[in-house]
Amino acid sequence: MTEDPQWSAWSGETLAECAESSALAINPLIYAEVSIRFERIEELQDALREEDFLRLSLPWEAAFLAGKCFVRYRRRRGPRRSPLPDFYIGAHAAVAGLTLVTRDATRYRTYFPGLEIIAP
């Protein structure tokens, strides 16, 4: 969405391929992360149209799992570049049985080994 020279093509193609076979979904954390690239909420809503992206609530079970995985990560002295919301996104996908599209597959595979991931 930001036309990043390194990832824009891969991200756009991957989302288009996923949309052909299943529904695309976001949760409030993903919405917030994407929002930082837009000046106005109307622009963001145009980019993440409700007819294209399901809006999913965050399950309480995912909050618990995210917290536990984050504690393991910090105890392993993980770098501070991975904030708790990233673990919540992974936990949400794991608990709900969703496939996660990410460019950072290593962390998600480490902490959510059963999670189906699409990554470069």
Side-chain angles (χ1 to χ4, degrees), residues 98-114:
L98 303 171
T99 300
L100 181 66
V101 175
T102 181
R103 297 182 313 236
D104 186 11
T106 302
R107 179 182 54 239
Y108 291 108
R109 286 189 177 117
T110 299
Y111 293 95
F112 307 99

Side-chain angles (χ1 to χ4, degrees), residues 21-73:
S21 60
S22 63
L24 300 177
I26 60 171
N27 63 35
L29 294 170
I30 296 167
Y31 189 90
E33 286 184 344
V34 173
S35 76
I36 63 173
R37 309 280 196 256
F38 294 88
E39 291 296 320
R40 300 175 48 242
I41 192 169
E42 293 82 7
E43 295 168 3
L44 176 61
Q45 289 173 331
D46 286 344
L48 297 175
R49 298 179 318 164
E50 289 189 46
E51 52 269 18
D52 297 331
F53 292 88
L54 298 174
R55 266 65 169 163
L56 302 179
S57 299
L58 293 164
W60 291 100
E61 297 83 2
F64 183 83
L65 178 58
K68 295 302 175 196
C69 290
F70 186 72
V71 166
R72 277 190 18 234
Y73 168 78

